Amino acid sequence: QVQLVESGGGLVQPGGSLRLTCIAAGLNFEDYVIGWFRRAPRTGREGVSCISGSDGTTHYQDSVKGRFTISTNNAENTAYLQMNNLRAEDSAIYYCAAAPKNAPFEVVGGPLDDFSYDHWGQGTQVTVSS
């Protein structure tokens, strides 16, 4: 049984930093793409970043490029999202998700589209406010 558990969310002031952690059980990171998604009040779920567990290829949403960094420790089945220079608009529930590495990302909207992700964590709240 696959299980993803996020942690690291919290309240931070604008310009601050947080590091989210996703610990996975029941899957081999090298066989998956690990993604971070977020859902803010009154908005749909959007892809933030993802990383291939097999070759380390990364993708980022334009609004977080240069501020967020995704990484993994495959030996510990752990993924991270380092978030720097946080803004109020980054406030959301952040979810970790896993998609098979051979999923047809190009067909369904790319690796930041949630369609191909079939394992999800419960989410962790990030609030950016002064």
Side-chain angles (χ1 to χ4, degrees):
Q1 181 178 357
V2 176
Q3 186 176 20
L4 303 174
V5 179
E6 305 95 333
S7 62
L11 173 64
V12 63
Q13 292 186 343
S17 298
L18 285 173
R19 188 176 81 158
L20 305 184
T21 299
C22 172
I23 299 176
L27 58 79
N28 182 347
F29 260 31
E30 293 187 353
D31 296 328
Y32 284 84
V33 173
I34 306 300
W36 285 97
F37 294 79
R38 66 187 180 188
R39 187 194 301 271
R42 297 177 296 280
T43 66
R45 186 165 59 192
E46 62 177 1
V48 175
S49 181
C50 65
I51 183 169
S52 167
S54 60
D55 65 13
T57 300
T58 59
H59 297 270
Y60 294 93
Q61 182 194 105
D62 285 346
S63 71
V64 307
K65 286 179 180 177
R67 301 189 298 124
F68 290 11
T69 303
I70 191 170
S71 62
T72 63
N73 181 331
N74 283 13
E76 297 185 357
N77 265 16
T78 302
Y80 304 96
L81 185 68
Q82 177 66 44
M83 306 186 296
N84 297 329
N85 192 20
L86 283 160
R87 306 167 180 168
E89 55 264 37
D90 294 318
S91 297
I93 300 174
Y94 283 71
Y95 300 89
C96 173
K101 67 178 181 181
N102 59 354
F105 296 110
E106 297 79 11
V107 175
V108 299
L112 293 181
D113 188 293
D114 62 4
F115 181 87
S116 297
Y117 291 80
D118 49 17
H119 301 293
W120 292 84
Q122 83 289 348
T124 185
Q125 176 72 50
V126 171
T127 303
V128 185
S129 175
S130 55

